[in-house]
Amino acid sequence: RLGNDDIRPEVTTEVEFGGEFKFFDSRLSLDVTYYEKETEDQVIPVDQSPTTGFTERVINAGTISNKGWEIVGGLAPIRTNDFNWNIDVNFTTFENTVEELAPNVENILLSGFNSTSSRVIAGESFGAIFGSKYQRDDNGNILIGDDGWALVDSEDGIIGDPIPDWTMGIRNTFTYKDFSVTALLDIRQGGDIWCGTCGIIDYF
């Protein structure tokens, strides 16, 4: 990997609004936050011709924006001298977009293979899943050839977005005197995942 004496520090600008509310002697609480954040001059290694003696070079590759909601709620259904039951809920939804890349940089490979990979592409989510895809009609249906096999598009493109629609954590904590038990439910709704091993197994 080739270094770069002209690297500039990443600069992040963020605007955040929020409010914290407590009711019924703090037995019910709500913390709501909305934020918009932009990071400029993101430092990322990009591919370069191996004939230079290096396969990558580090540059200020682009601008990435994030915006979303964070909501944290708390409820204490039972509160006595010896026993307490607390419920905490954390809900998050956000958008992540690559606003622009450095001049002459079309996309940046983060990980993966020639067929399918995670990339940085302007206008898409950071880490968008990129690879070969099927031909489809105007309604999104996969086209099937005369031989019964799905038709592959001649050009690669975006086939998935790893960013979830929302995430949520629900924690229940039961406390009896000095003894405490906690159970956590972690939820992730949406967001695409590509499994290379699954693809190889399906193929063979």
Side-chain angles (χ1 to χ4, degrees):
R1 178 177 295 177
L2 180 64
N4 187 345
D5 292 338
D6 296 325
I7 286 290
R8 299 180 300 279
E10 294 181 0
V11 176
T12 298
T13 305
E14 183 173 5
V15 177
E16 183 176 302
F17 301 94
E20 185 177 359
F21 311 91
K22 293 184 182 293
F23 308 94
F24 310 115
D25 195 24
S26 296
R27 296 186 65 166
L28 175 64
S29 63
L30 185 64
D31 190 339
V32 181
T33 303
Y34 175 78
Y35 67 92
E36 291 188 6
K37 179 166 59 175
E38 184 175 83
T39 300
E40 297 178 289
D41 291 331
Q42 187 102 23
V43 179
I44 300 177
V46 299
D47 294 336
Q48 76 170 27
S49 173
T51 59
T52 62
F54 299 89
T55 57
E56 291 180 328
R57 60 192 172 97
V58 180
I59 66 170
N60 292 104
T63 301
I64 297 176
S65 66
N66 292 275
K67 62 181 178 180
W69 291 88
E70 295 178 352
I71 302 173
V72 179
L75 176 64
I78 300 176
R79 181 185 292 172
T80 67
N81 291 332
D82 294 331
F83 180 77
N84 291 315
W85 174 22
N86 293 303
I87 303 172
D88 298 298
V89 179
N90 188 321
F91 176 85
T92 303
T93 178
F94 64 94
E95 295 179 14
N96 173 297
T97 305
V98 180
E99 299 294 342
E100 63 179 13
L101 292 175
N104 302 319
V105 177
E106 294 184 2
N107 62 76
I108 300 169
L109 175 67
L110 295 177
S111 63
F113 307 91
N114 290 333
S115 58
T116 308
S117 58
S118 173
R119 301 195 180 202
V120 181
I121 302 172
E124 303 292 338
S125 296
F126 186 88
I129 303 174
F130 183 89
S132 57
K133 56 184 181 178
Y134 294 120
Q135 294 184 31
R136 299 178 183 269
D137 62 19
D138 294 337
N139 295 321
N141 300 309
I142 296 175
L143 300 179
I144 306 298
D146 296 335
D147 57 1
W149 289 90
L151 298 177
V152 178
D153 200 314
S154 59
E155 294 185 2
D156 292 348
I158 303 297
I159 57 175
D161 183 351
I163 305 301
D165 299 326
W166 53 267
T167 62
M168 178 184 290
I170 304 174
R171 182 189 301 273
N172 283 274
T173 304
F174 304 93
T175 304
Y176 178 72
K177 294 186 176 180
D178 294 330
F179 183 75
S180 180
V181 175
T182 294
L184 174 65
L185 180 63
D186 191 20
I187 305 169
R188 175 188 172 108
Q189 173 64 38
D192 297 310
I193 297 174
W194 176 72
C195 175
T197 303
C198 302
I200 293 173
I201 292 173
D202 288 343
Y203 181 81
F204 287 108

